[in-house]
Amino acid sequence: MKLEYVFYIGTHPDEVWDVLFHPEKSFKAFLGGVIRSTCRVGDDIEFVGPGADGEQTVHIYGKVLAYEPSRVLSYTDHPGPSHYAEHAEMESRVTLTLEPFGSCTKLHLINDQWTENNPLFGKTERYWWMILSNIKSIAETGKPLDFGF
């Protein structure tokens, strides 16, 4: 099983990267969460935000597999402990790459290596479209999309 997306964004890769890591922008892009990590290969990565465990609920966690600023972010992906009791057994890999494409940025995301019968596949398939569209909108206009929730 694999999810794969390509978006072309009308700005420089540094601007897109800023949406991923600047807390005010990423909170909007990731529908209420921010990345918390040293971003060193082998270190932890978490997507945290308001939820069942308060303002710092861990929604996604994993380990950084690759990190090159404005170019590559890859990590293992587990749902947060408050979402599923068996969260540690549920894993996939996310690899996001940015590359200049004319005066634009090509954003390529692959979410693969899903554990068997992972119930998050369907939910993730739905939300990546919204998150990536939000990243594009924020990078190009400074504003997130209004999904009505």
Side-chain angles (χ1 to χ4, degrees):
M1 297 188 315
K2 175 170 87 168
L3 300 171
E4 185 168 11
Y5 308 89
V6 174
F7 278 71
Y8 293 90
I9 303 172
T11 191
H12 190 270
D14 290 341
E15 295 296 319
V16 178
W17 196 258
D18 189 49
V19 174
L20 300 176
F21 286 95
H22 187 281
E24 289 177 26
K25 295 176 184 179
S26 67
F27 188 82
K28 294 173 186 173
F30 290 112
L31 309 174
V34 297
I35 295 174
R36 186 166 59 194
S37 180
T38 63
C39 294
R40 289 190 298 263
V41 173
D43 282 0
D44 294 336
I45 187 168
E46 298 176 321
F47 290 79
V48 299
D53 297 330
E55 292 298 308
Q56 296 296 307
T57 298
V58 175
H59 295 286
I60 300 290
Y61 72 94
K63 296 286 185 188
V64 177
L65 302 172
Y67 178 83
E68 295 176 43
S70 298
R71 194 157 148 28
V72 177
L73 174 64
S74 183
Y75 57 91
T76 58
D77 183 297
H78 298 269
S82 65
H83 296 288
Y84 292 92
E86 63 281 356
H87 59 91
E89 291 83 43
M90 300 164 66
E91 183 176 278
S92 67
R93 177 182 66 178
V94 175
T95 302
L96 183 141
T97 58
L98 303 176
E99 64 181 90
F101 198 87
S103 63
C104 300
T105 297
K106 178 181 177 183
L107 181 157
H108 185 198
L109 184 133
I110 298 174
N111 193 177
D112 61 359
Q113 296 185 1
W114 291 83
T115 52
E116 192 173 336
N117 300 318
N118 190 326
L120 288 178
F121 185 85
K123 184 177 181 182
T124 302
E125 184 175 33
R126 177 178 165 221
Y127 281 103
W128 269 132
W129 284 111
M130 287 188 272
I131 291 167
L132 296 171
S133 295
N134 238 359
I135 290 168
K136 177 177 171 51
S137 181
I138 294 166
E140 291 177 342
T141 71
K143 297 178 183 178
L145 300 170
D146 180 0
F147 293 115
F149 55 82

